[in-house]
Amino acid sequence: MNLVLFIHILSATAWIGGALLLFALGIFLRDKQAQSDVYDHLGPIYGYFESFWLVTLLVTGSYMFVHHGIGDVLLYAPESGLGQSMLHKLYAVGLITLFTVVHMAIAFKVHRSTRSTFQNILMRGSSLLIFVLNIVILWYAIGVRSLL
């Protein structure tokens, strides 16, 4: 079990660290051409890197969910602190997975081409939501771990 938790934490570190790096680049690189050059080169590599870590997070998280009997907690004591924390974390994980799929689908579709205004809004909006949800999930993960 310790190995699964270690892999889960390592995956979370890679996932959140990568997201923080790209989020910071989006904020601090003011030169639009430099920003475009960085994302053109880094984007596809980052997409595969982050997909691997997201799948690893989902697999290890699911394993720990079953191993710790969290399904029973959600079924028989959903109002408990653990039940509420886990439920909120699961909602956030579902949303972050959805936003990641949307973001990556658009990113791979328009790589090295011009995005429409709608695609641009979806890309930036999903990036911001992924960033915020990373922090939310981390918060609930700490809460869940302290309750186990």
Side-chain angles (χ1 to χ4, degrees):
M1 190 61 205
N2 286 337
L3 179 61
V4 175
L5 178 60
F6 174 79
I7 293 169
H8 193 72
I9 292 171
L10 176 66
S11 302
T13 303
W15 170 262
I16 294 171
L20 288 172
L21 172 67
L22 283 189
F23 190 76
L25 287 173
I27 291 171
F28 295 115
L29 275 179
R30 295 291 184 196
D31 179 0
K32 293 299 179 190
Q33 185 58 47
Q35 202 177 64
S36 177
D37 290 343
V38 167
Y39 285 126
D40 279 350
H41 290 85
L42 191 58
I45 296 166
Y46 174 79
Y48 293 118
F49 174 83
E50 291 297 284
S51 295
F52 171 79
W53 291 117
L54 179 59
V55 169
T56 304
L57 277 167
L58 293 172
V59 169
T60 56
S62 297
Y63 177 83
M64 289 187 299
F65 182 88
V66 170
H67 178 78
H68 287 294
I70 303 297
D72 290 338
V73 172
L74 293 177
L75 186 61
Y76 298 114
E79 70 286 340
S80 68
L82 179 58
Q84 286 297 298
S85 291
M86 196 65 217
L87 196 58
H88 290 122
K89 183 181 177 192
L90 288 173
Y91 286 141
V93 167
L95 287 172
I96 206 169
T97 303
L98 175 68
F99 294 139
T100 299
V101 168
V102 168
H103 185 87
M104 289 185 65
I106 295 169
F108 283 121
K109 181 179 180 181
V110 299
H111 182 65
R112 295 189 189 244
S113 65
T114 305
R115 289 182 245 162
S116 70
T117 302
F118 181 67
Q119 289 170 328
N120 203 32
I121 290 169
L122 281 177
M123 290 285 289
R124 290 178 186 253
S126 61
S127 289
L128 180 60
L129 290 168
I130 290 166
F131 176 76
V132 170
L133 286 169
N134 276 324
I135 305 305
V136 169
I137 292 169
L138 184 57
W139 178 263
Y140 282 112
I142 292 167
V144 166
R145 188 64 191 158
S146 69
L147 292 169
L148 288 177

